[in-house]
Amino acid sequence: MPGFRTHLGSAAVLDRDHVDTDQIIPKQFLKKIDKAGYGEFLFFDWRYHSNGQENEDFELNSPETKEASILVTGKNFGCGSSREHAPWALKDYGFQVIIAESFADIFFNNCVKNGILPIRLSKAEIRNLQSERDGNLVRTLRVDLEQQQVENETGEVFRFEFDPYWKKMLLNGWDEISVTLQQEAFIKKYEDERIVN
Protein backbone atom coordinates (compact mmCIF):
# COMPACT_ATOMS: atom_id res chain seq x y z
CA MET A 1 0.00 0.00 0.00
CA PRO A 2 1.14 3.59 -0.43
CA GLY A 3 2.19 5.18 2.86
CA PHE A 4 -0.21 7.59 4.55
CA ARG A 5 1.23 10.87 5.83
CA THR A 6 -1.12 13.76 5.06
CA HIS A 7 -4.42 14.08 3.28
CA LEU A 8 -6.31 17.17 2.12
CA GLY A 9 -9.92 16.67 1.15
CA SER A 10 -13.57 17.45 1.68
CA ALA A 11 -15.58 15.54 4.27
CA ALA A 12 -19.04 14.04 3.92
CA VAL A 13 -21.09 14.12 7.12
CA LEU A 14 -22.98 10.96 8.05
CA ASP A 15 -24.45 12.05 11.37
CA ARG A 16 -25.44 8.61 12.63
CA ASP A 17 -24.39 6.42 15.56
CA HIS A 18 -23.96 2.62 15.58
CA VAL A 19 -23.55 2.19 11.83
CA ASP A 20 -22.95 -1.54 11.46
CA THR A 21 -20.99 -3.38 8.81
CA ASP A 22 -24.15 -4.80 7.24
CA GLN A 23 -25.27 -1.25 6.49
CA ILE A 24 -21.80 -0.35 5.20
CA ILE A 25 -21.79 -3.34 2.82
CA PRO A 26 -24.88 -5.59 2.85
CA LYS A 27 -24.26 -9.34 2.97
CA GLN A 28 -25.68 -10.07 -0.51
CA PHE A 29 -22.68 -8.33 -2.08
CA LEU A 30 -19.99 -10.38 -0.32
CA LYS A 31 -19.34 -12.64 -3.31
CA LYS A 32 -16.12 -11.25 -4.75
CA ILE A 33 -12.70 -12.52 -3.70
CA ASP A 34 -10.73 -9.34 -4.40
CA LYS A 35 -10.99 -5.87 -2.87
CA ALA A 36 -12.08 -3.93 -5.97
CA GLY A 37 -15.62 -3.12 -7.01
CA TYR A 38 -17.31 -2.85 -3.63
CA GLY A 39 -17.70 0.94 -3.67
CA GLU A 40 -20.84 0.84 -5.77
CA PHE A 41 -22.54 -1.18 -3.02
CA LEU A 42 -21.46 1.04 -0.09
CA PHE A 43 -24.48 1.89 2.14
CA PHE A 44 -26.60 0.25 -0.56
CA ASP A 45 -29.81 -0.07 1.45
CA TRP A 46 -29.60 3.61 2.43
CA ARG A 47 -28.45 4.92 -0.95
CA TYR A 48 -31.19 3.27 -3.00
CA HIS A 49 -34.90 2.59 -2.77
CA SER A 50 -36.16 -0.95 -3.33
CA ASN A 51 -36.95 -0.02 -6.96
CA GLY A 52 -33.29 0.85 -7.58
CA GLN A 53 -33.83 4.61 -7.65
CA GLU A 54 -31.40 6.78 -5.68
CA ASN A 55 -32.68 7.89 -2.28
CA GLU A 56 -32.39 11.67 -2.40
CA ASP A 57 -32.76 11.90 1.40
CA PHE A 58 -29.61 9.89 2.13
CA GLU A 59 -26.75 12.15 3.20
CA LEU A 60 -24.14 10.77 0.81
CA ASN A 61 -26.44 11.19 -2.18
CA SER A 62 -26.21 14.96 -1.86
CA PRO A 63 -24.50 16.36 -4.98
CA GLU A 64 -21.88 18.16 -2.88
CA THR A 65 -20.68 14.96 -1.17
CA LYS A 66 -19.91 12.94 -4.32
CA GLU A 67 -16.17 13.73 -4.33
CA ALA A 68 -15.63 13.60 -0.55
CA SER A 69 -12.62 11.57 0.57
CA ILE A 70 -13.20 11.94 4.33
CA LEU A 71 -16.21 10.62 6.25
CA VAL A 72 -17.28 12.31 9.50
CA THR A 73 -19.71 10.17 11.47
CA GLY A 74 -20.95 9.23 14.96
CA LYS A 75 -20.03 6.77 17.67
CA ASN A 76 -19.47 3.01 17.40
CA PHE A 77 -18.91 3.12 13.64
CA GLY A 78 -18.32 -0.31 12.06
CA CYS A 79 -20.05 -2.34 14.75
CA GLY A 80 -21.66 -5.71 14.03
CA SER A 81 -19.93 -8.51 12.14
CA SER A 82 -16.20 -8.33 11.52
CA ARG A 83 -16.35 -8.44 7.71
CA GLU A 84 -13.27 -6.95 6.09
CA HIS A 85 -15.41 -6.07 3.07
CA ALA A 86 -16.64 -2.95 4.94
CA PRO A 87 -13.33 -1.06 4.73
CA TRP A 88 -12.84 -2.44 1.21
CA ALA A 89 -16.13 -0.77 0.19
CA LEU A 90 -15.26 2.51 1.91
CA LYS A 91 -11.82 2.59 0.28
CA ASP A 92 -13.15 1.64 -3.16
CA TYR A 93 -15.77 4.40 -2.88
CA GLY A 94 -12.98 6.90 -2.28
CA PHE A 95 -12.79 7.44 1.48
CA GLN A 96 -9.23 7.77 2.81
CA VAL A 97 -10.07 8.95 6.34
CA ILE A 98 -12.95 8.23 8.73
CA ILE A 99 -13.50 10.50 11.72
CA ALA A 100 -15.80 9.18 14.44
CA GLU A 101 -16.36 9.37 18.17
CA SER A 102 -15.56 5.66 18.44
CA PHE A 103 -15.12 2.54 16.31
CA ALA A 104 -15.69 -1.16 16.73
CA ASP A 105 -12.23 -2.61 17.46
CA ILE A 106 -12.06 -5.16 14.64
CA PHE A 107 -13.36 -2.62 12.13
CA PHE A 108 -10.74 -0.10 13.28
CA ASN A 109 -7.93 -2.62 12.76
CA ASN A 110 -9.31 -3.66 9.37
CA CYS A 111 -9.31 -0.02 8.27
CA VAL A 112 -5.64 0.41 9.13
CA LYS A 113 -4.73 -2.86 7.41
CA ASN A 114 -6.39 -1.55 4.24
CA GLY A 115 -4.83 1.92 4.23
CA ILE A 116 -7.74 3.90 5.71
CA LEU A 117 -6.96 6.24 8.62
CA PRO A 118 -9.64 5.93 11.36
CA ILE A 119 -9.53 8.92 13.72
CA ARG A 120 -11.26 9.16 17.09
CA LEU A 121 -12.35 12.64 18.17
CA SER A 122 -14.68 13.67 20.97
CA LYS A 123 -18.35 14.36 20.31
CA ALA A 124 -17.74 18.08 20.91
CA GLU A 125 -14.85 18.13 18.43
CA ILE A 126 -16.93 16.35 15.80
CA ARG A 127 -19.79 18.81 16.34
CA ASN A 128 -17.25 21.60 15.93
CA LEU A 129 -16.03 20.12 12.64
CA GLN A 130 -19.61 19.70 11.44
CA SER A 131 -20.47 23.30 12.29
CA GLU A 132 -18.36 24.40 9.29
CA ARG A 133 -20.37 22.30 6.87
CA ASP A 134 -22.24 23.30 3.75
CA GLY A 135 -25.22 20.97 3.65
CA ASN A 136 -23.72 17.52 4.20
CA LEU A 137 -20.17 18.59 3.31
CA VAL A 138 -17.27 20.06 5.25
CA ARG A 139 -15.37 21.80 2.46
CA THR A 140 -11.74 21.27 3.43
CA LEU A 141 -9.93 19.31 6.12
CA ARG A 142 -6.22 18.68 6.33
CA VAL A 143 -5.29 15.43 8.07
CA ASP A 144 -1.71 14.89 9.24
CA LEU A 145 -0.90 11.44 10.63
CA GLU A 146 2.68 12.33 11.57
CA GLN A 147 1.52 15.27 13.70
CA GLN A 148 -1.70 13.43 14.66
CA GLN A 149 -3.96 16.35 13.93
CA VAL A 150 -6.92 17.48 11.81
CA GLU A 151 -7.06 21.11 10.70
CA ASN A 152 -10.13 22.86 9.32
CA GLU A 153 -10.34 25.77 6.87
CA THR A 154 -10.13 28.38 9.63
CA GLY A 155 -6.90 26.88 11.00
CA GLU A 156 -8.45 25.26 14.06
CA VAL A 157 -6.55 22.11 15.02
CA PHE A 158 -7.99 18.93 16.52
CA ARG A 159 -5.40 16.51 17.88
CA PHE A 160 -5.97 12.77 18.04
CA GLU A 161 -4.28 9.80 19.70
CA PHE A 162 -3.03 6.92 17.59
CA ASP A 163 -1.33 3.66 18.50
CA PRO A 164 2.40 3.87 17.60
CA TYR A 165 2.41 0.39 16.02
CA TRP A 166 -0.50 1.15 13.67
CA LYS A 167 0.91 4.61 12.98
CA LYS A 168 4.19 3.09 11.78
CA MET A 169 2.30 0.59 9.63
CA LEU A 170 0.24 3.32 7.93
CA LEU A 171 3.13 5.75 7.49
CA ASN A 172 5.13 3.07 5.69
CA GLY A 173 2.23 1.46 3.81
CA TRP A 174 2.86 -1.87 5.48
CA ASP A 175 0.48 -4.69 6.23
CA GLU A 176 1.31 -7.71 8.38
CA ILE A 177 2.50 -9.74 5.39
CA SER A 178 4.97 -7.05 4.28
CA VAL A 179 6.30 -6.79 7.85
CA THR A 180 6.85 -10.56 7.88
CA LEU A 181 8.59 -10.44 4.48
CA GLN A 182 11.10 -7.95 5.89
CA GLN A 183 12.39 -10.90 7.89
CA GLU A 184 12.60 -13.18 4.85
CA ALA A 185 16.37 -13.68 5.08
CA PHE A 186 16.11 -14.73 8.75
CA ILE A 187 13.16 -17.02 7.99
CA LYS A 188 15.10 -18.70 5.17
CA LYS A 189 18.18 -19.11 7.38
CA TYR A 190 16.04 -20.66 10.11
CA GLU A 191 14.41 -23.05 7.64
CA ASP A 192 17.73 -24.00 6.01
CA GLU A 193 19.20 -24.86 9.39
CA ARG A 194 16.28 -27.07 10.37
CA ILE A 195 15.04 -28.75 7.23
CA VAL A 196 16.33 -32.28 6.91
CA ASN A 197 16.69 -33.52 3.31
Side-chain angles (χ1 to χ4, degrees):
M1 299 181 295
F4 189 114
R5 296 190 179 277
T6 62
H7 179 76
L8 182 68
S10 58
V13 175
L14 183 64
D15 194 8
R16 303 182 187 210
D17 295 333
H18 310 293
V19 175
D20 65 53
T21 53
D22 195 49
Q23 291 298 341
I24 297 171
I25 180 70
K27 60 186 176 303
Q28 66 266 30
F29 301 115
L30 309 183
K31 299 173 182 175
K32 296 163 57 64
I33 58 171
D34 59 22
K35 299 179 182 183
Y38 284 102
E40 65 180 299
F41 308 120
L42 180 71
F43 300 121
F44 189 86
D45 293 336
W46 290 342
R47 284 170 66 195
Y48 301 101
H49 294 296
S50 58
N51 64 3
Q53 295 295 310
E54 193 172 89
N55 177 7
E56 294 179 357
D57 295 328
F58 179 54
E59 298 93 316
L60 299 190
N61 285 342
S62 303
E64 68 269 14
T65 64
K66 297 294 187 184
E67 301 302 318
S69 57
I70 301 169
L71 182 65
V72 178
T73 188
K75 65 184 176 184
N76 198 27
F77 189 79
C79 57
S81 67
S82 59
R83 64 188 65 162
E84 195 172 7
H85 303 76
W88 292 357
L90 288 156
K91 181 85 170 181
D92 192 61
Y93 186 83
F95 288 119
Q96 306 296 312
V97 178
I98 304 171
I99 301 172
E101 187 179 345
S102 59
F103 295 91
D105 288 340
I106 294 174
F107 175 82
F108 182 96
N109 292 343
N110 283 339
C111 281
V112 176
K113 292 175 184 180
N114 286 281
I116 298 174
L117 174 58
I119 296 173
R120 296 182 184 101
L121 291 179
S122 71
K123 185 172 185 175
E125 290 171 319
I126 289 172
R127 290 285 179 242
N128 196 324
L129 281 177
Q130 293 176 350
S131 70
E132 300 292 326
R133 72 185 183 181
D134 176 10
N136 293 313
L137 187 76
V138 178
R139 288 286 168 199
T140 306
L141 293 178
R142 184 178 187 278
V143 178
D144 188 324
L145 176 57
E146 287 187 299
Q147 299 300 316
Q148 295 180 206
Q149 64 183 37
V150 179
E151 183 179 350
N152 67 14
E153 280 187 306
T154 64
E156 189 172 6
V157 171
F158 305 86
R159 302 196 182 279
F160 60 91
E161 297 297 318
F162 208 78
D163 181 271
Y165 172 80
W166 290 123
K167 180 178 179 178
K168 184 176 181 180
M169 297 283 275
L170 267 177
L171 286 171
N172 290 286
W174 295 340
D175 61 15
E176 288 155 323
I177 294 172
S178 59
V179 169
T180 301
L181 289 175
Q182 291 173 28
Q183 306 301 320
E184 191 171 12
F186 296 102
I187 294 169
K188 185 175 186 323
K189 181 176 183 291
Y190 178 88
E191 289 174 341
D192 289 347
E193 290 172 352
R194 284 158 180 77
I195 293 175
V196 178
N197 293 326

